[in-house]
Amino acid sequence: ARSTLGALPSVRVAVRRVVPDSAAARSGLVRPGMILVSANGATLEDRPTVAAVAAAISDAARPLTLVLRDPDAFSAQLEPGSGAQVAQTTVLPSYPPATAASPQRGPPQVLAVRKARVPEICGEGAKVGDLLEVRYEGRLEDGRLFDGSELSFGEDQGGQQIPGRAGDATLYFVLGMQPNGQFPIAWDAAMPGACVGEVRTVKVPPVLGFQDKGSKRRGVPPYATLFYTLQLVSINGVALPR
C-alpha cells in the first residue's frame, strides 16, 4: 500500500512484483508500484488491505480483466511543462461508506484539478514545504459562494450572509504541512507544481470536504461537492515568476 496524493491520507494496494513469463510480464504494461483499480469493473480502490484485494480478485469471474494505474501520473500532470490541463484521481474511501443498514457503497470520490491559467514564465512550481500565498474562493455546485480570501461577511445570490476569512486579501499556508483542519486538505494535493501567477480550479469530493456534516454556518449541505478557484500569488515570499 502506498500514498497516491502526497500529504493526503489516501492509500491503495500496489503491485509488489511481476512474475516472470506471466501474462502481465509478457504484456510489458505492468510494473511494480502500479495501483490496482478494478477487477471486472468492480472497484478495488476502497479495499486498502492486500488481503481484501486478493480476496476480491480470487472471487471475480474468469476471464478476469484488471485495470491498473500509474500512481505517479496525477502528481506528474500537475508539474510545469507536463502538457496536461487536467489531472484527476479517485480518493479513498467511497462516500458515503457502506454500512450494515446500507451496504451499497457510494459513488467514487474524484479529486480533479484544472490549470485554468498558466503564466508564460512557468519553469519551477511549488513543492511540499513551500510557503504559498494564495487568493481563493469556494463555491457549491449551484454556484453559491461559501468562502473566499477576500470575503469577510458577504451575501450569496439568495442574500444570505457568508462568513469568510476576516477579509484578508490573500492567505498563507505551508504546502503539505498545514495543521489538520486549518485549510482545505485538498489544497495540499492540488497545488504542487503550481507557478506564481497560476490559477487552478479544484473539484473537491465530499470525503475531502465537509463530508456528511456539511457546514450550516457557511450554508454547505451534507455530501456537498466543493469547487475552489486558487491563484498562487507568491512562493516563499517571492512574487516573481520563475
Side-chain angles (χ1 to χ4, degrees):
R2 58 179 292 183
S3 171
T4 61
L5 292 176
L8 296 186
S10 185
V11 294
R12 304 290 192 276
V13 172
V15 174
R16 185 174 63 181
R17 71 184 183 94
V18 180
V19 177
D21 202 35
S22 64
R26 290 193 297 272
S27 75
L29 301 174
V30 181
R31 60 175 177 79
M34 296 191 77
I35 302 301
L36 291 159
V37 175
S38 67
N40 289 349
T43 183
L44 299 173
E45 294 195 280
D46 55 0
R47 302 170 189 260
T49 68
V50 173
V53 169
I57 293 175
S58 176
D59 293 342
R62 267 49 177 179
L64 175 67
T65 300
L66 283 176
V67 175
L68 299 93
R69 180 173 64 240
D70 182 347
D72 300 320
F74 176 76
S75 296
Q77 289 169 344
L78 296 177
E79 291 298 316
S82 71
Q85 291 298 309
V86 177
Q88 64 180 38
T89 186
T90 52
V91 180
L92 287 177
S94 295
Y95 216 78
T99 64
S102 179
Q104 186 66 34
R105 293 186 179 92
Q109 299 293 288
V110 177
L111 174 69
V113 181
R114 183 174 69 88
K115 299 176 182 179
R117 185 170 76 235
V118 179
E120 289 187 12
I121 300 176
C122 184
E124 184 179 350
K127 58 184 181 296
V128 171
D130 284 342
L131 176 65
L132 305 191
E133 179 186 7
V134 299
R135 295 188 183 95
Y136 82 96
E137 68 173 24
R139 295 184 180 272
L140 301 178
E141 201 156 12
D142 61 6
R144 284 185 293 148
L145 187 69
F146 69 86
D147 196 8
S149 55
E150 299 185 16
L151 188 64
S152 178
F153 280 88
E155 292 187 354
D156 67 7
Q157 296 173 352
Q160 298 295 315
Q161 293 291 310
I162 305 296
R165 296 186 183 270
D168 296 331
T170 58
L171 177 149
Y172 293 84
F173 73 100
V174 178
L175 184 62
M177 301 174 65
Q178 56 173 310
N180 187 35
Q182 184 173 2
F183 305 115
I185 192 172
W187 292 7
D188 281 338
M191 294 306 288
C195 292
V196 171
E198 185 169 337
V199 177
R200 291 185 173 183
T201 59
V202 187
K203 180 181 178 181
V204 181
V207 73
L208 293 182
F210 294 100
Q211 304 183 14
D212 60 340
K213 296 179 178 61
S215 175
K216 186 175 181 180
R217 177 171 176 262
R218 298 183 183 277
V220 179
Y223 303 116
T225 298
L226 311 178
F227 296 84
Y228 286 101
T229 301
L230 298 105
Q231 179 185 24
L232 184 53
V233 177
S234 71
I235 299 176
N236 297 323
V238 178
L240 297 175
R242 56 182 189 172

